[in-house]
């Protein structure tokens, strides 16, 4: 069904032109926050209906790796979730994604396929991480001949080499990667690109660099090179993933407290470490690791030691004894510190997990591909094109280490650019997003969605017990939601995509909507500029991140209808109680553009 | 999903009243009235007024007769007591309840049919008795519940939905109240909570019968062109005669009481009603002048609104009848029923 013609209504506030998809998109907080704009409420409803395969495919449209992400995603959607603004905890969006993936059954018929005929264009991708795989996923069905060059013997990038198998089982990754590669991607393993110049000489129509940020940062303090028991985190994890390392000393220090540190300490726990300390420079609250990762590590008996800055490695006769740290005292904002004392902590192994950076020793610097002062390539933030036409970057390789969902989102954008480029359209010609708004009214007091939500608290993920999980490295810790938890959690969603849409000329100002709204979102009042208007509403509108939806003058009194989007629970009661259907509940569907989808607006 | 539920959410910044309750604690069941009915807005105003007054829900008694309006007590304060009487008979039930328990806050909700047609006699005597209660007439000019016949408040010439005009003179509850000695008379509009809520709060503080006539459009049967009780007509012709503020405690008054156009009326519970922008020849405490003013200004079809008349001095039903200051249920059985010896002595008096 095509979108309706023209704006349904136009706000008086500059900020809220509701004819632009961004207005209603922003109301769907989770979808807006997701780099790939996954249609979260729609897939949660599909899960609630038991339509797991459809829910999986809805995910796959935008995020390509639902089963992987359902276990590992950084979940930018969850802190944004509206439920977190009316109750403490957001919907467990990520966990529900995993449910869809676990229960989807056979979806082979629903997957994209390569066409019978190729389109005659050849594209090379460097690296088989999520960024490149997304590009392949988008371009192969359009008939591109896609070749991937991968340094390792297996595909997946850091998803395989660094994310430990107790968080992401290998079989789960294998399946989703195979769904792409089996479309007829020519993937060459154990084939590191060592000269970009020679690759370019092979005459591809476009080249995408998705080689990640492969270099772990080192810590150059005294003693660093005096022992072979000091490891770089991402390299060490990779060696574990490929079974080159299967043990570690009993006392392990992890330097740094980001995501990599969490995987290093938990992996150490499984390889023989018994006294494992994660050493943080700063106090709690300033860590890079996600709170749930910290919880999981602490559950496994890992010690998180705050306010310790590494000073030197203590190595005696070539044997690592431990490390010296400055114990710090911080000011209130943890900006300035002073050293209180120097302490020694004994260790058999030390793992450095203090960050990663890009490294492109294999890209010659005379190819027209410009790099900045930090040796990072200059890449356009919209098209992902480098300074050399036909060469594109995406994922960690483009803007430094982020996460899988960003790599996917950038892969989609780069695929559009590559497609444009190969079809002779400028990469900057981005097809605009569109939207559909479809009324959900089915009859008197009948709506196509369930307007009430489950007041239950967020469901807790069950974990395999400690003994069992340490038995073997690849025992998946999280067991996934059971059906009851799934039902409860799915019903916690507020259906933010079922949006309130207002037609001012129908309103008779009876106040019914204002009176019924359980969270006082609505006000009919005299118009004024936004800042002042925000102070005169039924409930104070203090969350400036959230838009006001303000109408043009109402017919009877010339006042305006104002809605504060902040805590609307999408219950539909305003529309239900409106005698003239001036308010309606309409399902918002963002029409995201991918390579090759023609714009329907 | 035939009946749609209201989620339990409250606004994260929801304020609490002196009892620690949010406004949602004063809600009732979901309304079954037509969407857009003025009565629902009045319900919302009552909810707000009771919440702002911090009236304990279990100390409230809701009373009504029959009609769409009379259904509305179900839609506010779930935790209150309630009695839904026969058509037009709510005042009698109220009189009995008030006599038995002088301690509760009584809120009667009635319609123009319930009060001015079948129940006119009952209403008249409730006014005369100065029953200590708030009495809200949700006035839509029709019998909404029985599908829109003209009621006794329908204006001359006002048209029904089918187009026929009303030929009988209307009964105006405000003038009726004034002529029967009502001690608190107000008129408002369901679509104007800024005015209605303070009036309701003043009524809740009034010692005696507080009569509030609220124009409340019936969206289904009386909101068309030609109706004089539609949203549009009421908006066009209503004029706020006096602006009244309710000030809960006397010591909070900041306005200069002596300044022209401002009158302060002290209520028995220590609160004050402040009248602002009162016309020069208007005195809300002078019954004769108020009547004369209404006579003069209502001729041209204007609907004058506001807290029009107030008299805090006249004795209420309890004073008039020198009833017990203690609710009957709290009296000792021996006091409540002094026994046959006392009855004999009483009867002896009448021989
Ligand atoms: C320990 C750790 C844990 C993480 N956990 C999470 C998590 O839980 N959730 C999350 O969302 N993100 C996580 N991340 C981040 C995430 O893995 C990366 O952001 C993401 O994989 C980046 O994808 P990419 O496609 O850009 O690059 P990568 O995944 O890095 O893939 C790059 C690929 O290119 C190959 N390559 C490199 N150079 C060459 C060359 N010259 N020739 C041929 N091939 C080459 C590499 O072998 C690799 O396979 C984690 C990162 C680390 C280090
Ligand atoms: C003794 C008796 N007579 C007649 C009726 C039928 N009846 C039910 S409601 C009603 C009129 C209600 O009108 P009003 O009080 O104005 O209420 P509204 O529905 O307009 O709010 C009538 C006549 C009745 N229920 N009982
Ligand atoms: S859907 Fe309507 S009634 Fe419900 S919370 Fe949102 S604005 Fe209020
Ligand atoms: S319920 Fe409908 S007609 Fe009444 S004020 Fe709200 S939008 Fe306007
Ligand atoms: S019939 Fe009229 S008075 Fe009754 S609920 Fe409907 S609109 Fe209200
Ligand atoms: Mg009526």
């Amino acid at each position: 069904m095509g979108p309706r013609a023209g704006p349904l209504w136009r706000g008086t506030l500059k900020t809220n032109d509701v004819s632009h998809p961004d207005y209603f998109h922003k109301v769907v907080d989770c979808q807006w926050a997701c780099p790939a704009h996954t249609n979260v409420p729609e897939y949660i409803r599909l899960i609630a209906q038991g339509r797991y395969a459809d829910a999986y495919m809805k995910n796959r449209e935008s995020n390509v790796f639902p089963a992987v992400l359902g276990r590992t995603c950084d979940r930018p959607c969850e802190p944004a979730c509206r439920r977190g603004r009316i109750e403490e905890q957001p919907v467990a969006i990520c966990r529900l994604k995993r449910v869809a993936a676990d229960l989807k059954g056979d979806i082979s018929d629903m997957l994209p396929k390569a066409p019978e005929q190729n389109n005659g264009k050849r594209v090379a991708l460097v690296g088989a991480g999520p960024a490149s795989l997304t590009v392949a996923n988008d371009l192969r069905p359009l008939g591109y001949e896609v070749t991937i060059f991968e340094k390792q013997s297996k595909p997946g990038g850091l998803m395989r080499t660094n994310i430990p198998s107790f968080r992401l089982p290998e079989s789960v990754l294998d399946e989703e990667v195979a769904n792409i590669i089996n479309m007829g991607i020519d993937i060459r393993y154990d084939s590191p690109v060592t000269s970009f110049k020679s690759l370019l000489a092979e005459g591809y129509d476009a080249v995408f660099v998705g080689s990640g940020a492969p270099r772990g940062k080192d810590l150059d303090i005294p003693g660093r090179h005096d022992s072979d028991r000091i490891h770089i985190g991402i390299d060490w994890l990779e060696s574990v993933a490929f079974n080159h390392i299967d043990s570690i000393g009993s006392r392990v220090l992890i330097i740094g407290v980001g995501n990599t540190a969490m995987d290093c300490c938990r992996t150490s726990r499984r390889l023989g470490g018994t006294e494992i300390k994660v050493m943080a420079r700063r106090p709690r609250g300033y860590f890079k690791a996600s709170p749930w990762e910290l919880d999981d590590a602490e559950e496994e008996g890992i010690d998180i030691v705050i306010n310790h800055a590494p000073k030197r490695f203590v190595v005696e006769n070539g044997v690592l004894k431990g490390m010296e740290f400055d114990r710090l005292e911080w000011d209130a904002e943890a900006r300035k510190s002073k050293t209180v004392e120097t302490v020694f902590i004994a260790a058999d192994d030390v793992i450095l997990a203090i960050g990663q950076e890009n490294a492109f020793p294999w890209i010659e610097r005379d190819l027209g591909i410009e790099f900045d002062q930090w040796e990072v390539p200059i890449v356009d933030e919209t098209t992902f094109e480098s300074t050399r036409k036909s060469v594109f970057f995406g994922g960690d390789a483009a803007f430094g280490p982020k996460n899988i969902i960003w790599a996917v989102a950038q892969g989609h954008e780069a695929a559009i650019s590559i497609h444009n480029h190969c079809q002779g359209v400028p990469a900057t010609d981005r097809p605009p997003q569109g939207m559909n708004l479809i009324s959900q009214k089915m009859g008197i007091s009948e709506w196509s969605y369930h307007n009430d939500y489950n007041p239950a608290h967020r469901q807790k993920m069950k974990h395999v017990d400690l003994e069992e999980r340490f038995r073997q490295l690849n025992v998946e810790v999280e067991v996934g939601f059971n059906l009851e938890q799934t039902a409860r959690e799915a019903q916690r969603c507020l259906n933010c995509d079922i949006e309130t849409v207002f037609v001012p000329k129908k309103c008779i100002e009876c106040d019914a909507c204002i009176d019924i709204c359980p969270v006082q979102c609505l006000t009919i009042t005299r118009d004024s500029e936004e800042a002042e208007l925000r102070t005169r509403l039924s409930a104070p509108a203090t969350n400036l991140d959230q838009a006001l939806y303000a109408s043009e003058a109402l017919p009877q009194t010339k006042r305006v209808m104002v809605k504060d989007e902040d805590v609307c629970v999408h219950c539909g009661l305003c529309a239900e109680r409106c005698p003239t259907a001036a308010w309606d509940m309409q399902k918002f569907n963002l029409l995201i553009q991918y390579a090759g989808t023609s714009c329907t607006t | 999903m035939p009946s749609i539920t209201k989620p339990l959410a409250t606004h994260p910044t929801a304020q609490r009243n002196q009892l620690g309750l949010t406004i949602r604690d004063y809600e009732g069941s979901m309304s079954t009235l037509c969407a857009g009915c003025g009565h629902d807005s009045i319900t919302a105003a009552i909810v707000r007024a009771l919440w702002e007054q911090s009236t304990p829900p279990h100390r409230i008694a809701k009373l009504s007769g029959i009609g769409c309006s009379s259904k509305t007590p179900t839609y506010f304060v779930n935790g209150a007591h309630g009695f839904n009487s026969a058509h037009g008979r709510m005042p009698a039930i109220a009189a009995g309840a008030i006599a038995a328990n002088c301690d509760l806050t009584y809120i009667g909700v009635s319609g123009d049919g319930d009060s001015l047609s079948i129940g006119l006699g009952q209403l008249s005597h409730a006014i005369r008795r100065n029953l200590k209660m708030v009495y809200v007439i949700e006035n839509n000019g029709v019998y909404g519940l029985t599908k829109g016949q003209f009621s006794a408040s329908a204006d001359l010439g006002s048209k029904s939905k089918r187009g026929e005009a009303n030929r009988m003179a209307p009964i105006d509850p405000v003038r009726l109240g004034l002529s029967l000695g009502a001690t608190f008379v107000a008129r408002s509009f369901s679509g104007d909570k800024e005015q209605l809520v303070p009036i309701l709060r003043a009524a809740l503080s009034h010692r005696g019968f507080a009569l509030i006539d609220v124009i409340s459009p019936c969206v289904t049967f009386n909101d068309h062109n030609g109706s004089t009780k539609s949203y549009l007509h009421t908006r066009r012709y209503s004029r706020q005669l006096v602006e009244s503020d309710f000030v809960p405690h006397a010591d909070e008054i900041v306005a200069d009481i002596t300044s022209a156009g401002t009158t302060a009326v002290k209520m028995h519970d220590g609160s004050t009603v402040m009248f602002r922008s009162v016309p020069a020849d208007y005195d809300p405490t002078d019954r004769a002048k108020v009547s004369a003013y209404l006579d003069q200004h209502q001729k041209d079809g204007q609907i004058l609104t506001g807290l029009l008349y107030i008299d805090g001095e006249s004795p209420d039903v309890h004073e008039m009848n020198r009833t017990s200051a203690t609710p009957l249920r709290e009296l000792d059985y021996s006091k409540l029923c002094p026994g046959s010896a006392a009855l004999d002595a009483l009867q002896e008096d009448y021989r």
Side-chain angles (χ1 to χ4, degrees):
Chain A
M1 195 183 295
R4 297 193 180 185
L8 289 159
W9 168 87
R10 231 188 153 75
T12 55
L13 301 177
K14 284 195 201 76
T15 48
N16 58 16
D17 175 2
V18 298
S19 64
H20 193 284
D22 277 359
Y23 183 84
F24 289 118
H25 183 186
K26 202 159 177 285
V27 173
V28 194
D29 296 280
C30 47
Q31 187 176 17
W32 180 259
C34 174
H37 303 312
T38 305
N39 189 343
V40 174
E42 178 72 6
Y43 86 66
I44 291 184
R45 269 192 306 276
L46 291 170
I47 290 172
Q49 294 162 16
R51 292 169 58 188
Y52 305 112
D54 292 333
Y56 180 86
M57 292 308 295
K58 180 54 50 192
N59 265 287
R60 196 183 182 285
E61 254 173 41
S62 38
N63 63 43
V64 187
F65 303 99
V68 169
L69 289 163
R71 294 165 163 85
T72 61
C73 192
D74 262 356
R75 321 171 190 170
C77 54
E78 292 192 12
C81 171
R82 177 177 301 266
R83 178 83 190 209
R85 297 202 292 275
I86 60 153
E87 198 220 312
E88 277 149 44
Q89 295 281 336
V91 175
I93 298 169
C94 185
R95 269 65 191 275
L96 288 172
K97 198 188 309 293
R98 172 174 169 184
V99 173
D102 286 355
L103 304 181
K104 67 184 183 303
D106 181 9
I107 48 136
S108 41
D109 288 349
M110 302 163 94
L111 291 169
K113 311 242 165 358
E116 306 252 303
Q117 281 280 308
N118 286 337
N119 69 359
K121 304 281 180 187
R122 292 163 60 238
V123 176
L125 317 180
V126 182
S132 290
L133 289 169
T134 301
V135 174
N137 177 72
D138 288 5
L139 293 183
R140 184 66 194 117
L142 302 175
Y144 288 88
E145 270 175 64
V146 179
T147 308
I148 301 182
F149 297 91
E150 169 55 55
K151 178 169 73 180
Q152 305 285 358
S153 56
K154 287 178 174 180
L158 292 178
M159 301 190 290
R160 182 176 310 272
T161 59
N162 266 237
I163 299 182
S165 50
F166 57 84
R167 287 207 290 128
L168 174 60
E170 212 175 358
S171 59
V172 172
L173 178 63
D174 286 345
E175 181 188 329
E176 290 196 322
V177 170
N179 285 343
I180 297 168
I181 292 176
N182 291 348
M183 276 193 282
I185 307 289
D186 173 16
I187 184 159
R188 319 241 176 111
Y189 296 113
D190 303 309
S191 311
V193 174
T194 48
S195 161
F196 202 42
K197 191 179 252 167
S198 352
L199 180 68
L200 292 177
E202 290 180 35
Y204 289 96
D205 292 289
V207 179
F208 175 80
V209 179
S211 56
R215 184 184 287 160
K217 286 193 186 150
D218 211 335
L219 181 65
D220 236 340
I221 53 173
R224 166 66 183 93
H225 302 289
D226 302 347
S227 162
D228 58 0
R229 302 293 291 265
I230 303 164
H231 320 276
I232 301 264
I234 61 168
D235 299 340
W236 183 78
L237 286 170
E238 184 181 306
S239 303
V240 173
F242 286 111
N243 299 321
H244 302 320
I245 288 181
D246 59 7
S247 70
I248 197 159
S250 62
R251 298 166 305 172
V252 185
L253 295 181
I254 317 285
I255 310 301
V257 66
N259 312 52
T260 307
M262 294 300 108
D263 285 336
C264 289
C265 68
R266 295 178 71 193
T267 302
S268 304
R269 186 77 180 81
R270 285 158 174 79
L271 297 187
T274 48
E275 266 176 63
I276 303 162
K277 292 185 167 60
V278 173
M279 306 303 296
R281 286 182 51 126
R282 305 176 80 200
R284 258 173 207 273
Y286 297 90
F287 298 165
K288 278 206 182 133
S290 318
W292 61 86
E293 288 183 305
L294 290 163
D295 289 348
D296 291 348
E298 290 189 302
E299 178 183 303
E300 296 182 357
I302 309 282
D303 226 357
I304 299 192
V305 182
I306 58 167
N307 302 343
H308 279 65
K311 196 168 182 191
R312 68 180 187 100
F313 294 92
V314 181
V315 184
E316 282 170 16
N317 306 324
V319 179
L320 179 70
K321 293 288 170 189
M323 278 182 82
E324 257 178 32
F325 293 87
D326 281 338
R327 192 164 72 75
L328 307 178
E329 229 171 57
W330 292 90
D331 64 359
E333 288 94 44
R335 257 191 234 126
K336 278 201 202 109
S337 65
K338 62 169 195 268
T339 302
V340 192
E341 57 178 336
T342 301
V343 292
F344 170 79
I345 299 179
D348 304 314
D349 282 274
V350 175
I351 302 177
L352 302 175
I354 50 176
Q356 286 159 259
E357 40 195 23
N358 308 44
F360 302 96
W362 48 277
I363 299 186
E364 294 81 354
R365 298 303 139 109
D366 59 355
L367 302 174
I369 299 170
E370 280 174 42
F371 287 77
D372 66 13
Q373 64 204 91
W374 300 280
E375 291 292 288
V376 177
I378 293 168
V379 175
D380 186 280
E381 286 182 27
T382 317
T383 61
F384 294 89
E385 193 163 26
S386 71
T387 51
R388 179 180 166 131
K389 286 249 162 295
S390 83
V391 174
F392 301 84
F393 284 72
D396 288 357
F399 300 112
K402 272 195 170 137
N403 55 39
I404 301 168
I405 190 68
W406 271 112
V408 169
Q410 295 180 1
H412 284 310
E413 291 302 321
I416 291 176
S417 301
I418 294 170
H419 183 55
N420 278 6
H421 173 80
C422 293
Q423 307 303 318
V425 176
T428 46
D429 264 14
R430 317 301 290 179
Q433 287 183 344
M435 66 169 164
N436 271 337
L437 284 167
I438 298 166
S439 178
Q440 299 300 293
K441 197 176 174 79
M442 316 260 294
I444 292 173
S445 294
E446 268 197 83
W447 298 89
S448 71
Y449 74 111
H450 198 65
N451 87 308
D452 200 6
Y453 56 82
N454 195 328
H457 291 303
R458 184 182 165 106
Q459 302 298 296
K460 256 187 103 92
M461 175 58 70
K462 287 205 187 81
H463 288 176
V464 168
D465 68 41
L466 288 173
E467 215 172 293
E468 166 67 14
R469 78 174 83 151
F470 296 147
R471 207 174 42 81
Q472 222 181 319
L473 182 63
N474 62 2
V475 174
E476 187 173 16
V477 171
E478 297 189 344
V479 300
F481 280 163
N482 62 29
L483 285 181
E484 241 169 78
Q485 286 179 302
T486 301
R488 240 177 269 140
E489 196 59 39
Q491 286 161 9
R492 291 183 73 235
C493 171
L494 300 174
N495 300 295
C496 297
D497 62 332
I498 314 283
E499 308 231 20
T500 55
V501 177
F502 185 65
V503 180
K505 67 174 192 294
K506 287 189 180 174
C507 176
I508 58 168
E509 297 171 61
C510 68
D511 276 5
C513 54
I514 317 254
D515 295 337
I516 197 72
C517 177
V519 279
Q520 289 141 286
C521 290
L522 306 174
T523 312
I524 298 181
T525 186
R526 90 188 131 71
D527 200 4
S528 69
E529 54 82 37
E530 178 168 348
E532 195 269 339
L533 198 54
R534 281 183 176 269
T535 65
R536 281 194 287 111
L537 302 181
S538 304
T542 49
N543 186 351
L544 301 182
D545 290 341
Q546 293 284 319
L548 289 190
Y549 185 168
S551 76
E552 61 203 27
L554 299 177
Q556 292 197 8
T557 65
K558 309 298 173 215
R559 295 177 298 169
V560 292
M561 174 71 77
V562 185
K563 180 188 177 205
D564 177 10
E565 298 284 6
D566 188 16
V567 291
C568 170
V569 292
H570 296 262
C571 65
L573 286 170
C574 47
E576 167 70 14
R577 296 303 294 165
C578 178
T580 64
W583 281 115
D584 189 20
M585 300 308 289
Q586 300 186 358
K587 189 198 276 186
F588 166 76
N589 186 20
L590 181 69
L591 304 173
I592 304 174
Q593 301 302 326
Y594 299 105
T597 50
S598 63
C599 183
T600 48
T601 44
Chain B
M1 184 179 24
S3 109
I4 181 161
T5 38
K6 185 164 177 174
L8 286 170
T10 43
H11 195 278
T13 66
Q15 296 190 336
R16 294 181 180 273
N17 67 9
Q18 285 163 25
L19 302 175
L21 301 177
T22 70
I23 194 156
R24 295 216 56 189
D25 296 320
Y26 284 79
E27 285 180 358
S29 311
M30 275 284 276
S31 171
T32 58
L33 301 185
C34 304
C37 178
H39 299 351
D40 282 335
S41 279
I42 301 173
T43 298
I46 293 173
V47 165
R48 175 159 289 275
L50 287 167
W51 173 72
E52 285 181 4
Q53 288 290 91
S54 290
T55 311
H58 67 288
R59 308 300 296 155
I60 296 168
K62 311 176 289 188
L63 304 152
S64 66
I66 299 292
C68 296
S69 36
S70 294
K71 286 170 70 176
T72 64
T74 310
Y75 314 139
F76 61 84
V77 203
N78 263 338
H81 308 275
F83 197 103
N84 195 207
S85 82
H87 200 12
R89 268 58 187 167
M90 178 261 277
I93 303 296
I98 291 168
N101 189 345
C102 55
D103 259 5
L104 298 182
T105 296
Y106 290 93
I107 300 180
V109 181
S110 181
D112 41 327
D114 193 61
S115 281
L116 305 177
S117 299
I118 194 170
L120 186 61
Q122 295 250 329
L123 171 62
S124 305
H125 293 285
I127 296 174
R128 288 182 57 245
R129 291 200 166 102
N130 204 16
L131 294 179
K132 190 180 175 319
M133 70 184 297
V134 177
Y135 194 101
V136 179
I137 299 179
E138 302 188 340
N139 189 347
N140 53 17
V142 288
Y143 301 159
L145 192 69
T146 54
K147 296 202 181 301
Q149 304 83 350
F150 286 126
S151 79
S153 75
D155 292 307
L156 264 177
S158 181
K159 292 214 174 86
S160 73
K161 202 172 182 179
R162 284 183 168 174
E164 79 215 57
N166 170 48
R167 292 164 196 282
M168 281 186 280
I171 299 174
D172 174 359
V174 164
R175 304 236 239 150
L176 178 79
L178 285 169
S179 69
L180 290 174
T183 52
F184 182 113
V185 182
R187 175 155 34 228
S188 190
F189 169 41
S190 65
D192 185 0
K193 286 196 201 65
E194 270 173 50
Q195 182 191 54
L196 181 53
V197 172
I199 290 178
L200 282 164
R201 292 189 68 185
L204 287 162
S205 294
H206 178 63
R207 190 192 54 165
F209 193 81
L211 177 66
I212 312 176
D213 175 35
V214 189
I215 310 296
S216 176
C218 169
V219 279
T220 304
F221 298 112
N222 207 10
D223 193 38
H224 42 265
N225 286 337
S227 157
T228 59
K229 296 247 182 329
S230 66
Y231 281 107
L232 190 61
H233 183 95
T234 310
R235 287 214 165 89
R236 203 166 274 168
Y237 291 95
S238 66
R239 187 158 74 76
Q240 181 156 303
L241 179 59
V242 289
E243 244 181 72
S244 53
D245 276 351
F246 178 79
V247 188
H249 297 292
D251 50 16
E252 287 175 13
I253 296 177
V254 283
D256 181 359
I257 302 181
T258 56
S259 76
T262 305
T263 317
V265 174
K266 205 125 183 223
M267 310 294 281
H268 271 261
D269 63 359
S271 54
T272 307
V273 178
M274 298 286 302
F275 289 91
R276 284 180 289 109
S277 7
V278 182
D281 49 346
Y282 196 90
D283 176 357
T285 62
D286 185 325
R287 189 183 300 274
K289 276 197 187 155
V290 170
S291 290
Y293 192 94
L294 295 180
D295 281 344
Q296 272 173 31
H297 291 84
Q298 230 164 244
K299 279 189 227 118
D300 49 358
Q302 279 192 21
I303 305 162
L304 300 178
T305 65
L307 175 39
L308 302 171
Y309 174 73
I310 189 165
D311 161 17
E313 302 306 318
S314 296
D316 77 338
V317 63
H318 299 293
E319 282 169 276
M320 267 187 257
N321 295 293
R322 286 176 289 141
T323 59
S324 157
T326 314
L328 301 191
R329 67 179 163 78
E330 281 171 29
L331 291 177
D332 269 1
Y333 185 73
S334 58
K335 268 202 168 160
L336 206 53
C337 180
S340 43
L343 181 63
D344 289 344
L346 183 70
Q347 281 178 327
E348 203 51 40
D349 268 4
Y350 292 111
R351 281 190 210 279

